[in-house]
Short mmCIF file of all heavy atoms in Angstrom, two decimals:
data_model
loop_
_atom_site.label_atom_id
_atom_site.label_comp_id
_atom_site.label_asym_id
_atom_site.label_seq_id
_atom_site.Cartn_x
_atom_site.Cartn_y
_atom_site.Cartn_z
N MET A 30 228.01 -29.54 113.11
CA MET A 30 227.44 -28.53 112.33
C MET A 30 226.05 -28.30 112.71
O MET A 30 225.30 -29.34 112.75
CB MET A 30 227.74 -28.81 110.90
CG MET A 30 227.19 -27.83 109.91
SD MET A 30 227.85 -28.08 108.25
CE MET A 30 228.71 -26.60 108.06
N PRO A 31 225.50 -27.11 112.87
CA PRO A 31 224.13 -26.83 113.14
C PRO A 31 223.19 -27.42 112.07
O PRO A 31 223.58 -27.23 110.90
CB PRO A 31 224.06 -25.33 113.30
CG PRO A 31 225.38 -24.87 113.42
CD PRO A 31 226.24 -25.88 112.72
N ASP A 32 221.96 -27.89 112.43
CA ASP A 32 220.98 -28.22 111.47
C ASP A 32 220.38 -26.98 110.73
O ASP A 32 220.30 -25.88 111.31
CB ASP A 32 219.90 -28.91 112.18
CG ASP A 32 220.33 -30.36 112.62
OD1 ASP A 32 221.33 -30.87 112.05
OD2 ASP A 32 219.73 -30.84 113.69
N LYS A 33 219.95 -27.16 109.62
CA LYS A 33 219.29 -26.13 108.88
C LYS A 33 217.74 -26.35 108.99
O LYS A 33 217.30 -27.66 108.83
CB LYS A 33 219.62 -26.04 107.47
CG LYS A 33 221.13 -25.62 107.28
CD LYS A 33 221.48 -25.48 105.82
CE LYS A 33 222.94 -25.15 105.75
NZ LYS A 33 223.41 -25.12 104.39
N ILE A 34 216.94 -25.44 109.17
CA ILE A 34 215.51 -25.48 109.30
C ILE A 34 214.78 -24.45 108.31
O ILE A 34 215.46 -23.50 107.97
CB ILE A 34 215.03 -25.34 110.75
CG1 ILE A 34 215.40 -23.99 111.27
CG2 ILE A 34 215.59 -26.49 111.64
CD1 ILE A 34 214.76 -23.65 112.64
N THR A 35 213.68 -24.69 108.08
CA THR A 35 212.83 -23.78 107.19
C THR A 35 211.68 -23.08 108.01
O THR A 35 211.02 -23.68 108.73
CB THR A 35 212.26 -24.69 105.99
OG1 THR A 35 213.27 -25.35 105.42
CG2 THR A 35 211.47 -23.76 105.16
N VAL A 36 211.74 -21.75 107.73
CA VAL A 36 210.65 -21.03 108.20
C VAL A 36 209.97 -20.20 107.20
O VAL A 36 210.59 -19.82 106.14
CB VAL A 36 211.13 -20.09 109.44
CG1 VAL A 36 211.59 -20.87 110.66
CG2 VAL A 36 212.15 -19.04 108.92
N LYS A 37 208.73 -19.75 107.49
CA LYS A 37 207.95 -18.90 106.47
C LYS A 37 207.84 -17.57 107.10
O LYS A 37 207.36 -17.48 108.19
CB LYS A 37 206.60 -19.59 106.05
CG LYS A 37 205.91 -18.77 105.07
CD LYS A 37 204.65 -19.44 104.66
CE LYS A 37 203.98 -18.55 103.55
NZ LYS A 37 202.64 -19.01 103.32
N ILE A 38 208.33 -16.51 106.54
CA ILE A 38 208.14 -15.11 106.90
C ILE A 38 207.30 -14.46 105.82
O ILE A 38 207.77 -14.27 104.73
CB ILE A 38 209.46 -14.45 107.03
CG1 ILE A 38 210.36 -15.38 108.05
CG2 ILE A 38 209.24 -13.08 107.61
CD1 ILE A 38 211.73 -14.78 108.21
N ASP A 39 206.01 -14.13 106.33
CA ASP A 39 205.11 -13.47 105.22
C ASP A 39 205.04 -14.46 104.16
O ASP A 39 204.52 -15.53 104.22
CB ASP A 39 205.54 -12.12 104.95
CG ASP A 39 205.57 -11.15 106.20
OD1 ASP A 39 204.73 -11.38 107.11
OD2 ASP A 39 206.36 -10.27 106.22
N ASP A 40 205.32 -13.93 102.86
CA ASP A 40 205.12 -14.86 101.77
C ASP A 40 206.40 -15.46 101.28
O ASP A 40 206.51 -16.08 100.13
CB ASP A 40 204.52 -13.99 100.58
CG ASP A 40 205.40 -12.91 100.24
OD1 ASP A 40 206.42 -12.54 101.03
OD2 ASP A 40 205.13 -12.18 99.29
N THR A 41 207.47 -15.52 102.11
CA THR A 41 208.74 -16.05 101.80
C THR A 41 209.26 -17.08 102.72
O THR A 41 209.09 -16.97 103.86
CB THR A 41 209.82 -14.95 101.86
OG1 THR A 41 209.41 -13.74 101.19
CG2 THR A 41 211.17 -15.34 101.35
N THR A 42 209.58 -18.23 102.04
CA THR A 42 210.14 -19.33 102.86
C THR A 42 211.73 -19.26 102.86
O THR A 42 212.22 -19.18 101.68
CB THR A 42 209.69 -20.67 102.25
OG1 THR A 42 208.23 -20.77 102.26
CG2 THR A 42 210.24 -21.77 103.04
N ILE A 43 212.35 -19.29 103.94
CA ILE A 43 213.82 -19.16 103.97
C ILE A 43 214.37 -20.26 104.89
O ILE A 43 213.67 -20.96 105.68
CB ILE A 43 214.42 -17.85 104.56
CG1 ILE A 43 213.90 -17.66 106.06
CG2 ILE A 43 213.71 -16.71 103.66
CD1 ILE A 43 214.54 -16.49 106.72
N VAL A 44 215.60 -20.58 104.68
CA VAL A 44 216.29 -21.67 105.45
C VAL A 44 217.28 -20.84 106.43
O VAL A 44 218.01 -19.96 105.98
CB VAL A 44 217.10 -22.43 104.55
CG1 VAL A 44 218.03 -23.56 105.38
CG2 VAL A 44 216.22 -23.35 103.56
N VAL A 45 217.29 -21.32 107.68
CA VAL A 45 218.12 -20.66 108.75
C VAL A 45 218.78 -21.86 109.57
O VAL A 45 218.23 -22.90 109.41
CB VAL A 45 217.29 -19.73 109.70
CG1 VAL A 45 216.70 -18.53 108.90
CG2 VAL A 45 216.12 -20.56 110.48
N LEU A 46 219.81 -21.50 110.20
CA LEU A 46 220.51 -22.36 111.11
C LEU A 46 219.63 -22.61 112.33
O LEU A 46 219.03 -21.62 112.81
CB LEU A 46 221.79 -21.98 111.45
CG LEU A 46 222.76 -21.82 110.36
CD1 LEU A 46 224.21 -21.42 110.77
CD2 LEU A 46 223.02 -23.19 109.63
N ALA A 47 219.53 -23.84 112.87
CA ALA A 47 218.87 -24.14 114.06
C ALA A 47 219.41 -23.21 115.17
O ALA A 47 220.64 -22.97 115.20
CB ALA A 47 218.89 -25.54 114.44
N GLY A 48 218.52 -22.61 116.05
CA GLY A 48 218.98 -21.79 117.10
C GLY A 48 219.00 -20.29 116.63
O GLY A 48 219.12 -19.36 117.54
N THR A 49 218.74 -19.94 115.34
CA THR A 49 218.63 -18.62 115.03
C THR A 49 217.33 -17.93 115.54
O THR A 49 216.33 -18.67 115.62
CB THR A 49 218.43 -18.52 113.46
OG1 THR A 49 219.64 -19.13 112.78
CG2 THR A 49 218.21 -17.14 112.95
N SER A 50 217.50 -16.78 116.14
CA SER A 50 216.30 -16.11 116.60
C SER A 50 215.36 -15.72 115.60
O SER A 50 215.74 -15.56 114.34
CB SER A 50 216.66 -14.96 117.44
OG SER A 50 217.03 -13.86 116.60
N VAL A 51 214.01 -15.60 115.84
CA VAL A 51 213.14 -15.10 114.88
C VAL A 51 213.56 -13.72 114.34
O VAL A 51 213.33 -13.42 113.15
CB VAL A 51 211.62 -15.13 115.47
CG1 VAL A 51 210.69 -14.53 114.54
CG2 VAL A 51 211.30 -16.61 115.78
N ALA A 52 214.01 -12.84 115.25
CA ALA A 52 214.39 -11.58 114.78
C ALA A 52 215.40 -11.60 113.79
O ALA A 52 215.46 -10.84 112.80
CB ALA A 52 214.73 -10.68 116.07
N ALA A 53 216.51 -12.39 114.10
CA ALA A 53 217.58 -12.55 113.05
C ALA A 53 217.06 -13.23 111.79
O ALA A 53 217.45 -12.72 110.61
CB ALA A 53 218.66 -13.48 113.66
N ALA A 54 216.10 -14.05 111.79
CA ALA A 54 215.52 -14.65 110.53
C ALA A 54 214.87 -13.52 109.82
O ALA A 54 214.88 -13.48 108.56
CB ALA A 54 214.59 -15.71 110.83
N ILE A 55 214.06 -12.66 110.54
CA ILE A 55 213.36 -11.59 109.81
C ILE A 55 214.33 -10.72 109.11
O ILE A 55 214.17 -10.37 107.97
CB ILE A 55 212.50 -10.80 110.84
CG1 ILE A 55 211.32 -11.72 111.35
CG2 ILE A 55 212.01 -9.45 110.23
CD1 ILE A 55 210.47 -11.13 112.50
N LEU A 56 215.37 -10.29 109.79
CA LEU A 56 216.44 -9.46 109.25
C LEU A 56 217.06 -10.09 108.04
O LEU A 56 217.40 -9.49 107.15
CB LEU A 56 217.37 -8.87 110.23
CG LEU A 56 216.70 -8.05 111.36
CD1 LEU A 56 217.86 -7.85 112.49
CD2 LEU A 56 216.22 -6.83 110.86
N ASN A 57 217.52 -11.41 108.33
CA ASN A 57 218.11 -12.25 107.21
C ASN A 57 217.41 -12.34 106.00
O ASN A 57 217.82 -12.58 104.94
CB ASN A 57 218.54 -13.58 107.66
CG ASN A 57 219.79 -13.42 108.74
OD1 ASN A 57 220.43 -12.39 108.76
ND2 ASN A 57 219.99 -14.40 109.42
N SER A 58 215.91 -12.18 106.10
CA SER A 58 215.14 -12.34 104.99
C SER A 58 215.02 -11.07 104.10
O SER A 58 214.42 -11.02 103.07
CB SER A 58 213.78 -12.79 105.50
OG SER A 58 213.01 -11.63 106.02
N GLY A 59 215.72 -10.00 104.66
CA GLY A 59 215.71 -8.77 104.01
C GLY A 59 214.72 -7.71 104.39
O GLY A 59 214.68 -6.65 103.81
N ARG A 60 214.00 -8.06 105.47
CA ARG A 60 213.06 -7.27 105.93
C ARG A 60 213.76 -6.36 107.03
O ARG A 60 214.56 -6.82 107.89
CB ARG A 60 211.82 -7.95 106.50
CG ARG A 60 211.04 -8.61 105.45
CD ARG A 60 210.10 -9.69 106.11
NE ARG A 60 209.24 -10.25 105.06
CZ ARG A 60 209.60 -11.14 104.19
NH1 ARG A 60 210.88 -11.55 104.13
NH2 ARG A 60 208.75 -11.56 103.22
N ALA A 61 213.29 -5.05 107.09
CA ALA A 61 213.83 -4.15 108.16
C ALA A 61 212.91 -4.02 109.30
O ALA A 61 213.31 -3.43 110.32
CB ALA A 61 214.16 -2.73 107.43
N LYS A 62 211.65 -4.53 109.09
CA LYS A 62 210.72 -4.21 110.25
C LYS A 62 210.18 -5.65 110.69
O LYS A 62 210.06 -6.59 109.86
CB LYS A 62 209.61 -3.36 109.66
CG LYS A 62 208.70 -3.98 108.64
CD LYS A 62 207.36 -3.24 108.58
CE LYS A 62 206.59 -3.82 107.48
NZ LYS A 62 206.18 -5.20 107.54
N ALA A 63 209.71 -5.62 112.03
CA ALA A 63 208.98 -6.89 112.44
C ALA A 63 207.43 -6.52 112.65
O ALA A 63 206.69 -7.47 112.60
CB ALA A 63 209.62 -7.20 113.79
N ARG A 64 207.16 -5.33 112.52
CA ARG A 64 205.67 -4.98 112.69
C ARG A 64 205.49 -3.50 112.39
O ARG A 64 206.43 -2.83 112.00
CB ARG A 64 205.29 -5.17 114.18
CG ARG A 64 205.91 -4.26 115.14
CD ARG A 64 205.55 -4.44 116.55
NE ARG A 64 206.25 -3.57 117.49
CZ ARG A 64 205.79 -2.39 117.95
NH1 ARG A 64 204.67 -1.92 117.49
NH2 ARG A 64 206.54 -1.67 118.67
N ARG A 65 204.30 -3.01 112.48
CA ARG A 65 204.11 -1.49 112.32
C ARG A 65 203.44 -1.07 113.66
O ARG A 65 202.78 -1.63 114.22
CB ARG A 65 203.10 -1.32 111.21
CG ARG A 65 203.83 -1.44 109.88
CD ARG A 65 203.09 -0.81 108.75
NE ARG A 65 203.92 -1.11 107.57
CZ ARG A 65 204.91 -0.37 107.08
NH1 ARG A 65 205.35 0.62 107.78
NH2 ARG A 65 205.44 -0.71 105.99
N SER A 66 203.73 0.17 113.97
CA SER A 66 203.28 0.83 115.19
C SER A 66 201.81 1.03 114.95
O SER A 66 201.27 1.09 113.86
CB SER A 66 204.05 2.17 115.46
OG SER A 66 203.66 3.13 114.53
N VAL A 67 200.97 1.70 115.91
CA VAL A 67 199.65 2.01 115.82
C VAL A 67 199.41 3.06 114.82
O VAL A 67 198.28 3.18 114.32
CB VAL A 67 198.99 2.30 117.15
CG1 VAL A 67 198.83 1.06 118.08
CG2 VAL A 67 199.71 3.47 117.82
N ILE A 68 200.47 3.88 114.47
CA ILE A 68 200.29 5.02 113.46
C ILE A 68 200.95 4.59 112.21
O ILE A 68 201.19 5.40 111.30
CB ILE A 68 200.79 6.35 113.97
CG1 ILE A 68 202.29 6.19 114.46
CG2 ILE A 68 199.94 6.76 115.22
CD1 ILE A 68 202.87 7.56 114.80
N GLY A 69 201.35 3.34 112.12
CA GLY A 69 201.70 2.76 110.83
C GLY A 69 203.29 2.89 110.52
O GLY A 69 203.76 2.54 109.50
N GLU A 70 204.08 3.24 111.50
CA GLU A 70 205.49 3.30 111.43
C GLU A 70 206.15 1.98 111.50
O GLU A 70 205.62 1.09 112.22
CB GLU A 70 206.03 4.22 112.39
CG GLU A 70 205.83 5.67 112.48
CD GLU A 70 206.32 6.50 113.56
OE1 GLU A 70 206.49 5.93 114.64
OE2 GLU A 70 206.61 7.64 113.40
N ALA A 71 207.14 1.79 110.61
CA ALA A 71 207.88 0.42 110.69
C ALA A 71 208.68 0.44 111.96
O ALA A 71 209.27 1.32 112.31
CB ALA A 71 208.81 0.36 109.49
N ARG A 72 208.60 -0.74 112.58
CA ARG A 72 209.32 -1.07 113.88
C ARG A 72 210.18 -2.34 113.75
O ARG A 72 209.65 -3.26 113.19
CB ARG A 72 208.30 -1.21 115.06
CG ARG A 72 207.38 0.01 115.14
CD ARG A 72 207.95 1.24 115.17
NE ARG A 72 208.38 1.65 116.50
CZ ARG A 72 208.81 2.76 116.89
NH1 ARG A 72 208.81 3.80 116.13
NH2 ARG A 72 209.28 2.97 118.26
N GLY A 73 211.33 -2.42 114.17
CA GLY A 73 212.08 -3.52 114.13
C GLY A 73 212.88 -3.71 115.38
O GLY A 73 212.90 -2.94 116.33
N PRO A 74 213.66 -4.88 115.48
CA PRO A 74 214.52 -5.09 116.60
C PRO A 74 215.44 -3.99 116.96
O PRO A 74 216.14 -3.37 115.99
CB PRO A 74 215.36 -6.34 116.08
CG PRO A 74 214.51 -6.94 115.05
CD PRO A 74 213.78 -5.90 114.37
N LEU A 75 215.50 -3.62 118.25
CA LEU A 75 216.38 -2.49 118.73
C LEU A 75 217.38 -3.03 119.72
O LEU A 75 218.73 -2.91 119.53
CB LEU A 75 215.56 -1.48 119.25
CG LEU A 75 216.40 -0.29 119.83
CD1 LEU A 75 217.09 0.46 118.69
CD2 LEU A 75 215.44 0.71 120.51
N CYS A 76 216.95 -3.62 120.79
CA CYS A 76 217.92 -4.05 121.88
C CYS A 76 218.42 -5.47 121.69
O CYS A 76 219.54 -5.74 122.01
CB CYS A 76 217.12 -3.98 123.20
SG CYS A 76 215.90 -5.13 123.51
N GLY A 77 217.61 -6.26 121.10
CA GLY A 77 218.03 -7.73 120.89
C GLY A 77 218.11 -8.59 122.13
O GLY A 77 218.68 -9.68 122.14
N MET A 78 217.55 -8.06 123.23
CA MET A 78 217.58 -8.82 124.48
C MET A 78 216.24 -8.90 125.36
O MET A 78 216.33 -8.89 126.60
CB MET A 78 218.78 -8.28 125.31
CG MET A 78 218.80 -6.95 125.68
SD MET A 78 220.43 -6.57 126.51
CE MET A 78 220.15 -4.82 126.89
N GLY A 79 215.19 -8.60 124.66
CA GLY A 79 213.81 -8.69 125.18
C GLY A 79 213.42 -7.49 126.08
O GLY A 79 212.44 -7.72 126.75
N ILE A 80 214.05 -6.31 125.95
CA ILE A 80 213.67 -5.19 126.88
C ILE A 80 212.73 -4.24 126.12
O ILE A 80 211.79 -3.66 126.72
CB ILE A 80 214.95 -4.48 127.30
CG1 ILE A 80 215.68 -5.47 128.25
CG2 ILE A 80 214.51 -3.29 128.11
CD1 ILE A 80 216.97 -4.89 128.67
N CYS A 81 213.00 -3.86 124.87
CA CYS A 81 212.39 -2.80 124.11
C CYS A 81 210.97 -3.15 123.50
O CYS A 81 210.14 -2.24 123.34
CB CYS A 81 213.20 -2.18 123.10
SG CYS A 81 213.41 -3.33 121.57
N TYR A 82 210.69 -4.43 123.23
CA TYR A 82 209.46 -4.87 122.66
C TYR A 82 209.21 -4.29 121.24
O TYR A 82 208.28 -4.43 120.74
CB TYR A 82 208.32 -4.44 123.55
CG TYR A 82 208.08 -5.40 124.69
CD1 TYR A 82 208.98 -5.24 125.85
CD2 TYR A 82 207.17 -6.29 124.81
CE1 TYR A 82 208.91 -6.08 126.93
CE2 TYR A 82 206.99 -7.13 125.91
CZ TYR A 82 207.90 -6.97 126.96
OH TYR A 82 207.70 -7.75 128.15
N GLU A 83 210.24 -3.75 120.69
CA GLU A 83 210.09 -3.23 119.29
C GLU A 83 210.06 -4.29 118.20
O GLU A 83 209.81 -4.07 117.15
CB GLU A 83 211.31 -2.25 118.93
CG GLU A 83 211.19 -0.97 119.74
CD GLU A 83 209.96 -0.19 119.45
OE1 GLU A 83 209.33 -0.36 118.58
OE2 GLU A 83 209.73 0.93 120.16
N CYS A 84 210.58 -5.49 118.62
CA CYS A 84 210.70 -6.55 117.60
C CYS A 84 209.41 -7.50 117.56
O CYS A 84 209.44 -8.50 116.87
CB CYS A 84 211.86 -7.45 117.97
SG CYS A 84 211.64 -8.34 119.57
N ARG A 85 208.26 -7.08 118.16
CA ARG A 85 207.19 -7.98 118.14
C ARG A 85 206.59 -8.39 116.77
O ARG A 85 206.60 -7.51 116.01
CB ARG A 85 206.10 -7.33 118.99
CG ARG A 85 206.37 -7.34 120.51
CD ARG A 85 205.28 -6.52 121.25
NE ARG A 85 205.33 -5.03 120.99
CZ ARG A 85 204.41 -4.22 121.04
NH1 ARG A 85 203.27 -4.56 121.45
NH2 ARG A 85 204.64 -2.89 120.74
N ALA A 86 206.44 -9.66 116.64
CA ALA A 86 205.85 -10.12 115.47
C ALA A 86 204.84 -11.29 115.73
O ALA A 86 204.79 -11.70 116.92
CB ALA A 86 207.06 -10.72 114.60
N SER A 87 204.17 -11.80 114.87
CA SER A 87 203.30 -12.73 115.00
C SER A 87 204.05 -14.11 114.67
O SER A 87 204.75 -14.26 113.62
CB SER A 87 201.95 -12.79 114.03
OG SER A 87 201.25 -13.90 114.03
N VAL A 88 203.99 -15.06 115.59
CA VAL A 88 204.72 -16.36 115.44
C VAL A 88 203.69 -17.52 115.65
O VAL A 88 203.13 -17.60 116.74
CB VAL A 88 205.91 -16.49 116.41
CG1 VAL A 88 206.48 -17.82 116.24
CG2 VAL A 88 206.78 -15.39 116.20
N ASP A 89 203.44 -18.35 114.67
CA ASP A 89 202.54 -19.32 114.68
C ASP A 89 201.29 -18.92 115.18
O ASP A 89 200.56 -19.63 116.04
CB ASP A 89 203.13 -20.55 115.41
CG ASP A 89 204.26 -21.25 114.80
OD1 ASP A 89 204.37 -21.20 113.45
OD2 ASP A 89 205.05 -21.90 115.33
N GLY A 90 200.73 -17.71 114.71
CA GLY A 90 199.38 -17.17 115.05
C GLY A 90 199.33 -16.58 116.37
O GLY A 90 198.39 -16.08 116.82
N VAL A 91 200.48 -16.52 117.22
CA VAL A 91 200.50 -15.82 118.46
C VAL A 91 200.89 -14.37 118.15
O VAL A 91 202.21 -14.25 117.74
CB VAL A 91 201.34 -16.48 119.52
CG1 VAL A 91 201.29 -15.67 120.80
CG2 VAL A 91 200.82 -17.93 119.61
N VAL A 92 200.26 -13.35 118.40
CA VAL A 92 200.66 -11.92 118.19
C VAL A 92 201.51 -11.36 119.24
O VAL A 92 201.47 -11.89 120.53
CB VAL A 92 199.44 -11.04 117.88
CG1 VAL A 92 198.70 -11.53 116.62
CG2 VAL A 92 198.49 -11.03 119.15
N HIS A 93 202.32 -10.43 119.03
CA HIS A 93 203.08 -9.65 119.83
C HIS A 93 204.13 -10.40 120.56
O HIS A 93 204.48 -10.27 121.80
CB HIS A 93 202.29 -8.94 120.88
CG HIS A 93 201.32 -7.84 120.30
ND1 HIS A 93 201.77 -6.80 119.64
CD2 HIS A 93 199.98 -7.84 120.25
CE1 HIS A 93 200.82 -6.13 119.17
NE2 HIS A 93 199.71 -6.70 119.56
N VAL A 94 204.80 -11.38 119.82
CA VAL A 94 205.78 -12.23 120.38
C VAL A 94 207.17 -11.48 120.16
O VAL A 94 207.38 -10.90 119.20
CB VAL A 94 205.86 -13.61 119.61
CG1 VAL A 94 207.18 -14.37 120.08
CG2 VAL A 94 204.68 -14.44 119.81
N ARG A 95 207.86 -11.35 121.27
CA ARG A 95 209.16 -10.69 121.09
C ARG A 95 210.10 -11.63 120.27
O ARG A 95 210.69 -12.55 120.80
CB ARG A 95 209.82 -10.33 122.37
CG ARG A 95 209.03 -9.29 123.22
CD ARG A 95 209.67 -9.09 124.54
NE ARG A 95 209.34 -10.23 125.51
CZ ARG A 95 209.72 -10.52 126.63
NH1 ARG A 95 210.68 -9.72 127.14
NH2 ARG A 95 209.44 -11.58 127.27
N SER A 96 210.32 -11.26 119.07
CA SER A 96 210.98 -12.16 118.08
C SER A 96 212.49 -12.29 118.41
O SER A 96 213.03 -13.25 118.07
CB SER A 96 210.89 -11.60 116.61
OG SER A 96 211.45 -10.42 116.45
N CYS A 97 213.13 -11.52 119.25
CA CYS A 97 214.49 -11.68 119.58
C CYS A 97 214.65 -12.69 120.62
O CYS A 97 215.83 -13.18 120.94
CB CYS A 97 215.14 -10.29 119.94
SG CYS A 97 214.51 -9.74 121.58
N MET A 98 213.56 -13.09 121.33
CA MET A 98 213.56 -13.99 122.47
C MET A 98 213.26 -15.42 121.96
O MET A 98 213.32 -16.32 122.97
CB MET A 98 212.76 -13.50 123.56
CG MET A 98 213.05 -12.15 124.00
SD MET A 98 214.82 -11.99 124.70
CE MET A 98 214.70 -13.07 126.15
N VAL A 99 212.83 -15.67 120.85
CA VAL A 99 212.35 -16.96 120.38
C VAL A 99 213.19 -17.51 119.28
O VAL A 99 213.41 -16.89 118.22
CB VAL A 99 210.86 -16.73 119.85
CG1 VAL A 99 210.35 -18.07 119.40
CG2 VAL A 99 209.92 -16.21 121.00
N PRO A 100 213.71 -18.71 119.48
CA PRO A 100 214.46 -19.41 118.48
C PRO A 100 213.62 -19.94 117.33
O PRO A 100 212.40 -20.40 117.69
CB PRO A 100 215.11 -20.49 119.12
CG PRO A 100 214.22 -20.85 120.35
CD PRO A 100 213.76 -19.52 120.79
N CYS A 101 213.88 -19.94 116.20
CA CYS A 101 213.05 -20.47 115.13
C CYS A 101 212.91 -22.03 115.27
O CYS A 101 213.78 -22.67 115.79
CB CYS A 101 213.93 -20.24 113.75
SG CYS A 101 213.83 -18.59 113.24
N ALA A 102 211.87 -22.46 114.74
CA ALA A 102 211.54 -23.98 114.79
C ALA A 102 211.09 -24.27 113.33
O ALA A 102 210.57 -23.53 112.63
CB ALA A 102 210.42 -24.26 115.67
N ASP A 103 211.51 -25.55 112.97
CA ASP A 103 211.18 -26.00 111.62
C ASP A 103 209.63 -25.75 111.37
O ASP A 103 208.82 -26.23 112.11
CB ASP A 103 211.60 -27.50 111.44
CG ASP A 103 211.58 -27.80 109.91
OD1 ASP A 103 212.03 -26.94 109.12
OD2 ASP A 103 211.36 -28.94 109.71
N GLY A 104 209.30 -25.22 110.23
CA GLY A 104 207.96 -24.99 109.83
C GLY A 104 207.19 -23.86 110.47
O GLY A 104 206.05 -23.56 110.23
N MET A 105 207.98 -23.00 111.33
CA MET A 105 207.38 -21.81 111.94
C MET A 105 206.84 -20.86 110.88
O MET A 105 207.48 -20.74 109.78
CB MET A 105 208.44 -21.23 112.81
CG MET A 105 207.98 -20.08 113.71
SD MET A 105 209.31 -19.59 114.73
CE MET A 105 209.14 -20.37 116.19
N VAL A 106 205.69 -20.22 111.19
CA VAL A 106 205.13 -19.32 110.38
C VAL A 106 205.12 -17.87 111.06
O VAL A 106 204.62 -17.77 112.13
CB VAL A 106 203.69 -19.62 109.99
CG1 VAL A 106 202.96 -18.42 109.25
CG2 VAL A 106 203.57 -20.96 109.26
N ILE A 107 205.88 -16.96 110.41
CA ILE A 107 206.14 -15.58 111.18
C ILE A 107 205.45 -14.65 110.24
O ILE A 107 205.57 -14.55 108.99
CB ILE A 107 207.55 -15.35 111.19
CG1 ILE A 107 208.25 -16.45 111.97
CG2 ILE A 107 207.98 -13.94 111.71
CD1 ILE A 107 209.84 -16.56 111.77
N GLU A 108 204.67 -13.75 110.82
CA GLU A 108 204.07 -12.61 110.06
C GLU A 108 204.48 -11.22 110.75
O GLU A 108 204.50 -11.09 111.87
CB GLU A 108 202.52 -12.71 110.21
CG GLU A 108 202.03 -13.99 109.46
CD GLU A 108 200.57 -14.14 109.76
OE1 GLU A 108 199.71 -13.59 109.15
OE2 GLU A 108 200.17 -14.95 110.77
N THR A 109 205.02 -10.47 109.83
CA THR A 109 205.48 -9.07 110.24
C THR A 109 204.56 -8.02 110.13
O THR A 109 204.86 -6.96 110.72
CB THR A 109 206.76 -8.71 109.36
OG1 THR A 109 206.41 -8.54 108.16
CG2 THR A 109 207.95 -9.83 109.52
N ASP A 110 203.38 -8.17 109.62
CA ASP A 110 202.45 -7.10 109.54
C ASP A 110 201.14 -7.58 110.35
O ASP A 110 199.98 -6.85 109.97
CB ASP A 110 202.12 -6.80 108.15
CG ASP A 110 202.74 -5.33 107.68
OD1 ASP A 110 203.00 -4.59 108.80
OD2 ASP A 110 203.06 -5.10 106.65
N ALA A 111 201.22 -8.51 111.08
CA ALA A 111 199.91 -9.07 111.80
C ALA A 111 199.44 -8.07 112.87
O ALA A 111 200.28 -7.37 113.39
CB ALA A 111 200.09 -10.42 112.28
S1 LIG B 230 214.78 -6.39 120.13
FE1 LIG B 230 214.06 -5.33 121.99
S2 LIG B 230 212.83 -6.75 122.85
FE2 LIG B 230 213.43 -7.74 121.07
#
């Protein structure tokens, strides 16, 4: 059985299964977006395989991380409006 880990997404702490992608964690937290475009439009995961770059979020202080390509780690801090 997979381990459960805790990540913080903006102001919410959630529990996910180890191996869950950051993009999936963002969506599972009830958020539809991972970031905003330069003109303020909500953007979120589209391809789910690292090609479109629409899922970029801040992960542990690193901006523009493709969230669909990164597995969650225990204690990870994810920001969707950074
Ligand atoms: S969803 Fe397309 S790069 Fe992540």
Side-chain angles (χ1 to χ4, degrees):
M30 179 163 247
D32 291 334
K33 293 180 181 176
I34 58 176
T35 301
V36 298
K37 183 176 180 190
I38 303 176
D39 300 327
D40 57 352
T41 307
T42 300
I43 66 168
V44 176
V45 298
L46 296 177
T49 299
S50 71
V51 171
I55 290 169
L56 295 174
N57 287 343
S58 74
R60 290 163 175 78
K62 67 167 180 56
R64 65 182 179 94
R65 290 205 177 273
S66 71
V67 292
I68 59 172
E70 294 177 328
R72 311 301 280 190
L75 180 63
C76 71
M78 56 185 183
I80 295 173
C81 73
Y82 285 71
E83 294 293 349
C84 64
R85 288 175 287 159
S87 171
V88 177
D89 287 337
V91 180
V92 296
H93 299 297
V94 172
R95 287 176 291 169
S96 63
C97 69
M98 302 301 291
V99 177
C101 289
D103 195 36
M105 184 178 268
V106 177
I107 302 158
E108 296 172 78
T109 63
D110 256 338

